[in-house]
Amino acid sequence: MTVLASGSKGNATVIAAGSTRILVDAGMSCRELMKRMAQVGEDPEDLDAILITHEHLDHVAGLSVLARRLKIPVFFTEGTHRAWVRMLTPRTTMSYAKWLETVQREKAERADHAPAHTALMTEIDLAAADDPMEAEGGDGAAAVEAEAPRVKADPAFLPAVEYFRAGHGFSIGEIDVNPFTIPHDAADPCGFVFHARSESIRMAIATDLGYVPPNVKMALRGVDVLLLESNHDLEMLKDGPYPWSVKQRVLSRVGHLSNAACAEFLLRDYDGGAHTIVLGHLSEQNNLPELARLAAEQAIGGRMTLLGNRVLLAAQDMPLEPICL
Ligand SMILES: [Zn+2]
Ligand SMILES: [Zn+2]
């Protein structure tokens, strides 16, 4: 596992086993993702697929450009894919008030013998236009094929799309992927457990979750490498600069995991069997690496040894050294 970036300004992690390489999230510009892969000795051309946890910008910012450049499939849940497409192709449906205003303005312009213009028609046409991506059926793994240049101009165009569902495992090359639902304010957010079949090694990613529900506790049993969210220090968040509404969102059951909640999981639910635990998605405003580390290390306590339970901190501004087992 190589964490290229982690935090609210961008997330991306490479999971590799044997000859298979998967990029989990593409939350930075394509250029930055390529740069960071070069820094850690990964060749982007070797990537087999991109896997998306959820549609928030810090997880998809470079997705379409990167996938198109590398011509590799992108794996989403159908809900996440639809939400992402919607995000990139905002509807221009008019309110009644705006429609009335437009009609009246056009009428006035006609009365003034001004040259006719077609603003109204254009906007209505846009609103009524069928979205080719939305029309794609939900029959499990559907591939979106590119033919027309019209589709290529679509900001949501991808060379190939594969759908997965939380709770239903699938394989990419030599890696078995088990997606699990996480509580977060996105359409259909997922964490993943990756099983490198030949090595019998399990790696997991669980960031962007408001709390740790039973299904996540179950999924994270028996993993060798765990990337777990330790987003904020509760006191720093409460006293920090965020507006109250944002604080409420972060603290909610569909927000982000605090240092305390992360530590609580490590203390009560974690089985202690991992080689490395990576704390990730740290808030730059409302956390300090030392606080996150202290909380986690106290929770792991005596289980930390030279061979197990090493705690690393993933950073926003630089990749983490590859974790190799
Ligand atoms: Zn995020
Ligand atoms: Zn998110």
Side-chain angles (χ1 to χ4, degrees), residues 61-125:
L63 174 61
S64 50
V65 177
L66 186 72
R68 282 182 228 175
R69 177 175 299 191
L70 300 177
K71 297 188 174 62
I72 53 175
V74 183
F75 288 70
F76 302 89
T77 68
E78 189 175 356
T80 298
H81 181 229
R82 282 173 182 269
W84 177 73
V85 170
R86 235 176 282 129
M87 198 169 82
L88 292 184
T89 49
R91 295 292 165 127
T92 51
T93 311
M94 261 189 273
S95 67
Y96 175 66
K98 187 166 175 241
W99 174 80
L100 200 63
E101 188 194 300
T102 311
V103 170
Q104 282 168 348
R105 195 183 60 229
E106 292 211 331
K107 222 167 156 182
E109 280 171 4
R110 272 201 301 277
D112 290 346
H113 304 290
H117 75 87
T118 54
L120 178 62
M121 279 309 294
T122 312
E123 279 180 286
I124 287 174
D125 284 347

Side-chain angles (χ1 to χ4, degrees), residues 5-306:
S6 186
S8 60
K9 292 195 186 117
N11 295 273
T13 301
V14 177
I15 299 288
S19 60
T20 306
R21 285 181 148 61
I22 305 170
L23 182 68
V24 182
D25 289 334
M28 318 191 90
S29 71
C30 178
R31 175 196 294 254
E32 185 66 23
L33 289 167
M34 303 277 233
K35 192 181 107 190
R36 292 193 183 208
M37 287 190 73
Q39 280 172 7
V40 296
E42 289 283 353
D43 183 354
E45 297 291 332
D46 290 342
L47 287 175
D48 297 286
I50 304 173
L51 203 51
I52 298 297
T53 58
H54 64 296
E55 73 278 13
H56 288 164
L57 199 61
D58 58 322
H59 299 259
V60 298
L63 174 61
S64 50
V65 177
L66 186 72
R68 282 182 228 175
R69 177 175 299 191
L70 300 177
K71 297 188 174 62
I72 53 175
V74 183
F75 288 70
F76 302 89
T77 68
E78 189 175 356
T80 298
H81 181 229
R82 282 173 182 269
W84 177 73
V85 170
R86 235 176 282 129
M87 198 169 82
L88 292 184
T89 49
R91 295 292 165 127
T92 51
T93 311
M94 261 189 273
S95 67
Y96 175 66
K98 187 166 175 241
W99 174 80
L100 200 63
E101 188 194 300
T102 311
V103 170
Q104 282 168 348
R105 195 183 60 229
E106 292 211 331
K107 222 167 156 182
E109 280 171 4
R110 272 201 301 277
D112 290 346
H113 304 290
H117 75 87
T118 54
L120 178 62
M121 279 309 294
T122 312
E123 279 180 286
I124 287 174
D125 284 347
L126 271 176
D130 261 337
D131 186 338
M133 306 297 270
E134 293 270 4
E136 197 59 39
D139 54 345
V144 179
E145 288 291 299
E147 329 84 6
R150 188 179 65 85
V151 183
K152 284 204 171 161
D154 181 344
F157 167 75
L158 293 171
V161 171
E162 297 279 345
Y163 287 151
F164 64 81
R165 280 188 294 161
H168 297 259
F170 59 97
S171 298
I172 301 174
E174 294 168 56
I175 301 176
D176 294 336
V177 185
N178 282 294
F180 54 88
T181 294
I182 50 172
H184 190 54
D185 53 359
D188 188 16
C190 286
F192 299 107
V193 175
F194 302 94
H195 180 205
R197 240 174 290 130
S198 54
E199 324 281 343
S200 203
I201 287 171
R202 285 154 53 84
M203 299 167 264
I205 295 182
T207 68
D208 298 75
L209 62 172
Y211 69 107
V212 187
N215 77 305
V216 175
K217 289 177 184 172
M218 287 248 291
L220 300 184
R221 277 188 200 149
V223 297
D224 299 291
V225 182
L226 171 59
L227 169 54
L228 182 64
E229 174 161 51
S230 193
N231 180 261
H232 56 274
D233 174 75
L234 287 167
E235 295 306 315
M236 283 182 74
L237 178 70
K238 281 177 189 156
D239 298 339
Y242 283 8
W244 178 237
S245 59
V246 179
K247 289 182 184 180
Q248 289 281 67
R249 190 218 142 217
V250 172
L251 284 168
S252 79
R253 298 274 276 181
V254 288
H256 290 277
L257 210 62
S258 67
N259 295 345
C262 174
E264 165 95 7
F265 166 81
L266 292 173
L267 183 67
R268 297 189 193 285
D269 305 294
Y270 165 57
D271 59 20
H275 175 276
T276 302
I277 292 168
V278 185
L279 305 177
H281 218 300
L282 267 72
S283 168
E284 290 181 305
Q285 295 278 350
N286 306 304
N287 209 351
L288 293 170
E290 310 87 79
L291 291 176
R293 177 185 287 281
L294 190 68
E297 288 187 346
Q298 277 178 350
I300 295 170
R303 293 175 290 175
M304 261 162 64
T305 67
L306 278 176

